[in-house]
Amino acid sequence: MSDDGRFERATSRFTDRITEDGRDGWPVEAGRYRLVVSRACPWASRSLVVRRLLGLEDALSLAVADPVQDERSWRFTLDPDGRDPVLGIRFLSEAYEAREPGHPGGVSVPAVVDVPTGGLVTNDYQRITLDLETEWTRLHRPGAPDLYPERLRDEIDERMDGVYRDVNNGVYEAGFATSQEAYEEAYGRLFARLDQVSEHLAARRYLVGDTITEADVRLFTTLVRFDAVYHGHFKCNRNKLTEDRVLWAYARDLFQTPGFGDTVDFDHIKRHYYVVHRHINPTRIVPRGPDLRGWRTPHHREELGGRPFGDGTPPSPPRQDEVVVPL
């Protein structure tokens, strides 16, 4: 936090990249790495969606942490004996320690861990999905969509920058603010950007071009949490997502697209935010609402045209061991 009550997000400490040529010492290799996520975390959820869309499940294994972490970091209490069955560790902090003994910083997800050494490779949430899209192409499934097409990258980057600053991170700046001024500034930027995005999407199905891109993935992971968490818990309460006709239809369109909604676990989302953030919710009571059935209602966004996967195809259904309890 800054002296004037503004939330300041820490930068990723470990920014090595896994690339086709292995220039950082980490070559793309099927089965070598393990992606550690929490289904509660919007930054980690980006990697879940991209991994599904690209069909990387067999190449990049998945570890899902308990949504409620403790002072020792994200924990693997969802697994038998409380240990990740591949890495053999109880806490993600052990992978950070293996990478940097005495690591002084925070422990965040998503994280990619080198299975042979048990050490962290990267926790660079801004870069992980881009590299999955551009460096892991040899391992993509047949029919995988191009989520970061080269001809549109400047526009995608511009869209993502604004959405990150004012929406993805903006909800946290509002929710974690410790001064009225800081809260109101973040609140204002958040809804100004959402209004802009809503106007942009009123006549087009996706943020950039006529197919799903990385920009849509990044916006979706905040929108899907908006009414369940950010509206009340983070005081982002000018209006609910369901009260914005365009954004609500856009979010439902993506949710109902294979690879998006089938990665979302609202139970994990709600338990994490309402239980872990004791300074905001000291009673740790998890609300029963909102009613989630609306996520499956018709959205009619297909009337705007567009091709969700471009020249590609939808991903196969989730692996049996990765199925989320449906709404």
Side-chain angles (χ1 to χ4, degrees):
M1 298 298 297
S2 67
D3 292 339
D4 59 358
R6 285 174 164 76
F7 169 70
E8 296 179 338
R9 182 169 297 280
T11 57
S12 299
R13 181 178 178 86
F14 302 100
T15 58
D16 289 5
R17 295 177 60 189
I18 301 171
T19 58
E20 180 63 31
D21 63 7
R23 56 187 176 272
D24 282 359
W26 306 105
V28 171
E29 184 179 332
R32 176 171 176 176
Y33 306 101
R34 190 154 173 83
L35 175 65
V36 182
V37 303
S38 164
R39 292 192 184 275
C41 172
W43 318 107
S45 290
R46 298 175 177 183
S47 59
L48 282 170
V49 173
V50 168
R51 176 177 172 269
R52 282 271 295 119
L53 293 177
L54 300 180
L56 289 170
E57 292 96 328
D58 291 336
L60 179 63
S61 67
L62 181 68
V64 178
D66 191 306
V68 180
Q69 75 264 55
D70 61 22
E71 67 279 358
R72 294 166 294 182
S73 83
W74 297 100
R75 51 190 185 161
F76 297 107
T77 49
L78 302 179
D79 295 302
D81 301 322
R83 289 185 182 275
D84 178 80
V86 173
L87 300 173
I89 57 178
R90 294 186 180 278
F91 301 95
L92 180 55
S93 57
E94 295 175 57
Y96 278 68
E97 182 70 17
R99 166 67 184 267
E100 182 183 70
H103 167 62
V107 175
S108 63
V109 289
V112 180
V113 178
D114 180 45
V115 173
T117 64
L120 180 76
V121 176
T122 178
N123 68 342
D124 189 352
Y125 63 94
Q126 296 280 52
R127 189 72 234 179
I128 288 173
T129 50
L130 296 179
D131 281 344
L132 291 179
E133 292 156 3
T134 60
E135 298 289 339
W136 290 62
T137 54
R138 174 170 50 86
L139 299 176
H140 290 181
R141 66 178 175 87
D146 187 352
L147 299 176
Y148 196 46
E150 192 165 359
R151 63 185 178 83
L152 296 175
R153 286 180 189 176
D154 287 346
E155 185 179 354
I156 292 171
D157 290 345
E158 182 180 3
R159 286 282 168 194
M160 293 193 304
D161 180 66
V163 166
Y164 168 78
R165 184 176 60 251
D166 299 329
V167 180
N168 300 146
N169 201 51
V171 293
Y172 284 88
E173 291 180 337
F176 290 159
T178 57
S179 73
Q180 189 70 31
E181 181 182 7
Y183 161 71
E184 291 185 5
E185 193 273 336
Y187 176 100
R189 286 190 293 105
L190 166 65
F191 283 103
R193 181 68 64 178
L194 288 177
D195 287 344
Q196 180 191 77
V197 172
S198 181
E199 182 179 359
H200 176 74
L201 288 169
R204 55 193 301 166
R205 192 170 181 184
Y206 303 112
L207 280 173
V208 181
D210 66 348
T211 64
I212 291 167
T213 68
E214 172 80 9
D216 297 295
V217 174
R218 295 190 180 196
L219 179 57
F220 171 79
T221 58
T222 295
L223 294 183
V224 79
R225 289 162 172 76
F226 202 88
D227 288 2
V229 175
Y230 303 141
H231 178 271
H233 186 60
F234 277 178
K235 306 180 185 69
C236 299
N237 59 356
R238 191 195 72 178
N239 58 268
K240 296 177 181 177
L241 176 67
T242 55
E243 294 166 346
D244 184 303
R245 179 184 61 82
V246 173
L247 291 181
W248 175 223
Y250 167 79
R252 296 198 322 273
D253 185 5
L254 291 177
F255 185 89
Q256 294 170 31
T257 299
F260 283 84
D262 54 34
T263 70
V264 175
D265 192 317
F266 283 106
D267 173 63
H268 281 209
I269 290 168
K270 289 166 58 177
R271 282 197 290 127
H272 170 75
Y273 283 91
Y274 288 102
V275 173
V276 172
H277 299 158
R278 299 187 190 186
H279 59 298
I280 298 177
N281 185 38
T283 64
R284 306 178 79 190
I285 292 172
V286 180
R288 292 292 300 273
D291 188 340
L292 301 173
R293 290 174 294 181
W295 284 101
R296 293 294 184 190
T297 59
H299 52 76
H300 304 295
R301 293 281 293 179
E302 67 277 1
E303 296 171 8
L304 295 174
R307 302 172 301 144
F309 303 101
D311 294 329
T313 58
S316 300
R319 293 161 51 116
Q320 189 60 40
D321 59 348
E322 295 182 10
V323 170
V324 177
V325 177
L327 298 181

